[in-house]
Amino acid sequence: MKSTISRRTLIAGAFAAPAVLTLPRGAQAATNLTLGHNAAPGNPRSIATERFGELVKERSGGRISVRVAGSEQLGNEQSLLTSLRTGAVDMTVNSQGSSSALVPEIAALGLPFLFEDSAAAFKVLEGPIGEELAQRFSKVQMVPLGWWDNGIRHITNSKRPIAKPADLKGLKIRTPPDPMTIDIFQALGAGTEQISFGELYVALQQGVVDGQENPLTNIASSKLFEVNKFISLSGHKWESSPFLMSQITWTRLPAADRDIIKTAAKEAGDLQRRLFAENEAKYNSEFRANPKLAVNEVDRAAFREASAKVVDTWRAKPFGDFVDRLAKTARS
C-alpha cells in the first residue's frame, strides 16, 4: 500500500486523533494508525511495514488502517521516538542506536563481535534478554512489537580499502546516534560524526564524511555504494531494528485490536528477517562482481583486539550487570 501523500499531509495526519465514525450501536469505530521509519523503498524494512499495514487492514475487515511513511517523511529517528512517546505517531521501526537514548541497555546488543550472525542474535532476543528489554521500553511509554533485523555491519569509504584498524586512521566515519558504534570506531582510531541516515548519501557525496557503516542491504537500498566504492567486510557488530508502538495508542485499543496488531507484526517481522537474509547474500555476490567496486575482507582478529576495550567500558556502566548477562547468554 504505497503512499503518495505529501509530507505536510502525512504530518498533519500523524498528529490527528484517530477517526471515529458515527456507527450503529454495537459497531466498532474506524481507527487510523501511523507508522514512520527511515528506510528507502525496496528495503526489507520498507516492504515489511507495507505488508504489516495490509495484514492489519485485512484482519480488521478494513476497520483499522495503517498509514506507512518511510524515508524520514515524518522526521528522523530521534523525532519519531519523541512523537511515539507523545502519541503523535503510533509506531516506528528504526535502528537500535536512536532507541538507546531512552533505553541505554539496547545499545549493548551491538557489542563488538558479540554475534556471529543474525540468527545468533535473535536466539538471545527471543529469551529473557528480550523480555527484559521490553520491560525497560514500557517504562518510557513504548511497547515493542518485535525485533527486526538491521544486520551485521560493514565499513564503506571513498578513500581506500580497510584491512586493519590502522587503515581507519585519518578517516571520518559517519555513525548513527549510537554510543556503542561511536565507541567502537573511536577505539579503532577513526574520527566519528553523527549524521541522519536520510542525509547520509549527500554527506558522503560532498565529502562531509569519508565513510560509514551499515549492513550490505542498507548500503544497496540507499545506493551508498555509488559514493563509497570501497566496501570492507568488517562484521564489527550486529544491530536490531526494534518495532515500537506508542503505549498511549496501545492502551486505548481494545484487546481484539491488540491481537490483530501483534500477530500482523509477527508475520511482517518474519518477512523482514527472511528478506534481509536473502538480500545480504545477494548483495555480497553482486558487490564482489561489480568492477566499479572494491570489496575486501578485513583482519578480524586485529579488529577484535583493537575493540576489546569497548566491552570493558560498557561493563563499567551503571547497567553493567545487563551487559554481563547479555554476553554470557550470547556465548551459551
Side-chain angles (χ1 to χ4, degrees):
M1 60 188 247
K2 301 287 184 183
S3 174
T4 56
I5 302 172
S6 70
R7 176 182 171 89
R8 180 176 297 177
T9 304
L10 279 165
I11 294 174
F15 282 80
V20 180
L21 307 179
T22 302
L23 300 171
R25 180 172 301 195
Q28 291 180 289
T31 300
N32 299 322
L33 302 175
T34 305
L35 193 169
H37 64 83
N38 69 359
N43 185 286
R45 194 169 355 134
S46 182
I47 294 169
T49 52
E50 296 287 350
R51 181 57 183 153
F52 169 77
E54 292 167 358
L55 288 169
V56 169
K57 184 174 182 179
E58 290 168 6
R59 291 173 185 175
S60 67
R63 185 174 45 79
I64 307 174
S65 65
V66 180
R67 178 184 296 148
V68 178
S71 299
E72 295 191 353
Q73 293 179 71
L74 294 181
N76 62 23
E77 296 184 52
Q78 296 94 317
S79 62
L80 280 170
L81 288 170
T82 298
S83 296
L84 206 66
R85 296 185 76 187
T86 63
V89 171
D90 301 299
M91 291 167 282
T92 186
V93 53
N94 282 309
S95 72
Q96 69 189 33
S98 55
S99 302
S100 69
L102 302 172
V103 179
E105 293 86 346
I106 196 171
L109 294 173
L111 282 167
F113 301 101
L114 180 65
F115 298 115
E116 186 67 27
D117 53 32
S118 295
F122 289 129
K123 182 180 178 182
V124 170
L125 273 172
E126 286 161 4
I129 290 292
E131 293 172 5
E132 185 171 347
L133 286 172
Q135 292 170 4
R136 292 177 188 267
F137 273 108
S138 71
K139 294 178 181 179
V140 291
Q141 295 80 53
M142 297 181 186
V143 178
L145 298 175
W147 311 107
W148 291 14
D149 199 351
N150 206 18
I152 297 290
R153 322 284 284 188
H154 305 291
I155 304 167
T156 73
N157 81 99
S158 60
K159 302 296 185 183
R160 54 182 175 266
I162 305 300
K164 54 189 184 300
D167 296 328
L168 282 163
K169 186 175 181 179
L171 295 184
K172 185 177 289 186
I173 302 296
R174 175 269 178 184
T175 75
D178 171 35
M180 180 64 72
T181 308
I182 295 168
D183 284 354
I184 290 172
F185 276 88
Q186 290 181 348
L188 294 174
T192 61
E193 185 162 339
Q194 289 68 65
I195 296 172
S196 171
F197 188 73
E199 299 171 356
L200 178 54
Y201 184 100
V202 173
L204 292 168
Q205 186 180 49
Q206 296 181 349
V208 176
V209 287
D210 302 305
Q212 60 86 49
E213 57 88 55
N214 255 293
L216 299 180
T217 295
N218 294 354
I219 292 166
S221 65
S222 294
K223 302 187 184 305
L224 303 181
F225 62 89
E226 293 180 347
V227 286
N228 269 186
K229 67 172 282 189
F230 297 102
I231 301 175
S232 301
L233 302 176
S234 55
H236 52 276
K237 64 172 288 195
W238 177 85
E239 275 198 13
S240 69
S241 285
F243 187 5
L244 302 171
M245 187 167 193
S246 168
Q247 198 169 69
I248 294 171
T249 304
W250 183 255
T251 53
R252 67 172 168 74
L253 293 175
D257 289 359
R258 293 183 189 180
D259 288 341
I260 289 171
I261 287 169
K262 283 192 293 186
T263 56
K266 174 64 168 61
E267 288 189 33
D270 289 344
L271 172 65
Q272 191 272 343
R273 292 184 189 185
R274 177 174 60 80
L275 291 177
F276 197 96
E278 292 172 357
N279 277 7
E280 288 294 285
K282 171 187 174 183
Y283 292 121
N284 191 320
S285 296
E286 288 188 4
F287 287 161
R288 289 176 185 272
N290 188 336
K292 296 181 180 179
L293 302 178
V295 179
N296 72 282
E297 303 287 343
V298 307
D299 180 349
R300 290 201 179 182
F303 272 74
R304 286 176 185 271
E305 182 179 357
S307 59
K309 61 184 178 183
V310 174
V311 180
D312 295 332
T313 298
W314 279 71
R315 281 192 166 123
K317 290 182 180 291
F319 49 87
D321 58 333
F322 176 84
V323 176
D324 283 331
R325 289 196 305 277
L326 171 60
K328 182 178 180 180
T329 304
R331 288 194 302 267
S332 63

